[in-house]
Amino acid sequence: MADGSERDVFISHEKTDADVALELAAQLRASGYSTWCYEEDSTAGGSYLVQIDRAIEAAHSMVVIISKHSLRSPHVRNEIIRAYESQKRFIPIRRGMSHDDVLRAQDEGDDDRRREWRMAFGAAVSVAWDPDNSERVAAKVAEGLKRVGVPPTSAASPYAPPRISTVPRTAPPAFATSQTTSAQQFDAREAGARFVADLGLPTDAASIQKAFETPIARVIVAGLVGALGVIGNLQTLFGAIAPGPQDFGYIIVPLTRLINIVAALLGLWLSVRLVRGAWALFQGDASAENAIRRTASQELFLIFSWFAVTLLVIMFGVPQEAATARSPMLSYMIRGTLMASVPVAICRYMFTRARTGAQHPA
């Protein structure tokens, strides 16, 4: 929210219904109600997702513009869910749709959306939008707000922005053009965030962390780490069995070839176990989490053991006449260790965190 203050009404709408939202906000302010509308109250430079979340939390009620566009809008759906969770009062405004049209449109959607909309609105009576008599619609909304216990907080809103929408469209003045251009630039900067929100993806740090703590996230991570491990260990194994020109280290220190073959075979076995564990977890076997965590720990131990043993061999096994090859060999080792250990360490961390959370629930 721009100023962090409470508002009487949060107006939820899809961007194509912005004209209705702005007109309704102006009429409600004239009746003494403070409003929060995205086009007027969002602040440039900040996350619009965070601003909307705070605005819904601080508002006393929510007016929802229901149209054929908003019924299909994921971000309007998310706003309704957020307001329902915060126990806000709802007043639906129908734009170009009858009550039966709204019900049919919901029935055409998925079961979750239909259930969420009906749970949120309950038995709330909707109001039809009349573009030729917006004052009458606003009066009905104001009366409805009073009936549900949301009285107007002031005679006029002190922070109400200029009413650009009342300027005749046939001859807009210069100041209206400049403000419209500014609004368009702001929308362009927020386009990326809106696109992510429409996809239903998490955007803030808390939501991302929560998403990674879900069981399906752990299944995906364990499966990917295991699959990458299988591919990487097969490449190492084939390279050690049939070395190419780039594997010059095997010629200088032949023992490294044997070390890589043994490590690749063990790593391949552990990576396959990770994939199998991920599949078992996907099928609902909760005990697979412990197996995946142990396997990830064993794979980390194998990686760093390979690094330590190979480091000793290179430091003391490289002939004096080939000392210049020691540096590129060490560089190859460090790069390979990081590439192999980081994904496994992330996997182990996720499953260790899940175990800790299960043992110490909030």
Side-chain angles (χ1 to χ4, degrees):
M1 187 174 299
D3 55 11
S5 62
E6 292 184 353
R7 306 290 173 95
D8 296 322
V9 183
F10 177 95
I11 301 178
S12 176
H13 62 284
E14 209 274 336
K15 57 186 178 181
T16 56
D17 300 318
D19 56 334
V20 174
L22 290 170
E23 182 65 28
L24 182 61
Q27 296 293 343
L28 288 175
R29 284 197 301 271
S31 300
Y33 283 96
S34 56
T35 62
W36 199 99
C37 187
Y38 171 78
E39 285 75 14
E40 294 178 333
D41 298 286
S42 56
T43 304
S47 169
Y48 98 95
L49 297 170
V50 174
Q51 294 180 54
I52 286 178
D53 182 74
R54 291 175 179 171
I56 294 174
E57 181 66 27
H60 298 154
S61 60
M62 174 182 278
V63 168
V64 184
I65 310 298
I66 301 179
S67 67
K68 62 180 180 180
H69 303 290
S70 63
L71 282 170
R72 296 193 298 267
S73 171
H75 67 261
V76 171
R77 172 185 176 183
N78 293 336
E79 290 169 5
I80 291 173
I81 294 173
R82 181 70 180 90
Y84 176 72
E85 292 173 346
S86 302
Q87 299 181 338
K88 306 300 179 183
R89 304 284 190 176
F90 286 92
I91 295 184
I93 303 292
R94 292 178 281 106
R95 183 187 194 183
M97 303 185 74
S98 67
H99 184 73
D100 292 337
D101 291 336
V102 175
L103 293 179
R104 280 195 297 270
Q106 291 183 37
D107 290 337
E108 292 172 358
D110 57 87
D111 291 339
D112 288 340
R113 185 181 71 182
R114 181 166 61 252
R115 188 180 302 112
E116 289 163 353
W117 281 70
R118 290 184 175 174
M119 284 177 61
F121 290 119
V125 177
S126 61
V127 180
W129 175 254
D130 184 356
D132 298 323
N133 197 349
S134 59
E135 294 86 353
R136 184 180 63 85
V137 177
K140 285 188 176 182
V141 173
E143 182 63 26
L145 290 170
K146 294 175 184 177
R147 287 173 181 258
V148 297
V150 184
T153 54
S154 62
S157 175
Y159 44 78
R163 286 291 298 123
I164 300 175
S165 61
T166 59
V167 176
R169 297 185 179 182
T170 55
F175 78 90
T177 303
S178 62
Q179 293 193 18
T180 303
T181 303
S182 175
Q184 291 175 348
Q185 291 174 352
F186 173 72
D187 288 343
R189 289 196 298 269
E190 293 290 328
R194 279 188 175 273
F195 176 73
V196 173
D198 288 347
L199 291 178
L201 300 177
T203 56
D204 58 282
S207 299
I208 293 174
Q209 181 178 349
K210 185 176 180 180
F212 272 100
E213 291 175 352
T214 59
I216 189 61
R218 294 196 292 275
V219 169
I220 293 173
V221 169
L224 285 176
V225 171
L228 291 174
V230 169
I231 295 172
N233 283 294
L234 283 175
Q235 290 178 335
T236 302
L237 183 61
F238 292 150
I241 294 174
Q246 70 277 8
D247 300 312
F248 61 91
Y250 297 150
I251 300 175
I252 299 173
V253 186
L255 184 57
T256 57
R257 183 178 181 183
L258 176 61
I259 294 173
N260 281 2
I261 291 176
V262 173
L265 288 172
L266 291 174
L268 183 61
W269 173 62
L270 291 173
S271 296
V272 170
R273 286 185 59 186
L274 273 183
V275 175
R276 292 177 61 185
W279 177 248
L281 185 60
F282 177 74
Q283 292 181 313
D285 184 3
S287 63
E289 292 202 1
N290 292 328
I292 292 174
R293 185 173 56 255
R294 287 195 302 269
T295 302
S297 300
Q298 293 167 355
E299 192 158 358
L300 281 176
F301 178 78
L302 172 64
I303 293 170
F304 289 111
S305 297
W306 167 83
F307 179 83
V309 173
T310 308
L311 178 62
L312 290 174
V313 171
I314 291 176
M315 294 301 296
F316 299 102
V318 175
Q320 187 64 32
E321 59 272 16
T324 55
R326 185 178 287 113
S327 179
M329 293 176 71
L330 290 174
S331 177
Y332 164 79
M333 282 178 52
I334 294 173
R335 185 172 64 253
T337 301
L338 289 175
M339 292 178 62
S341 63
V342 169
V344 180
I346 293 174
C347 178
R348 184 182 182 280
Y349 170 78
M350 290 182 64
F351 281 86
T352 302
R353 183 179 177 86
R355 181 187 185 187
T356 304
Q359 292 177 344
H360 305 283

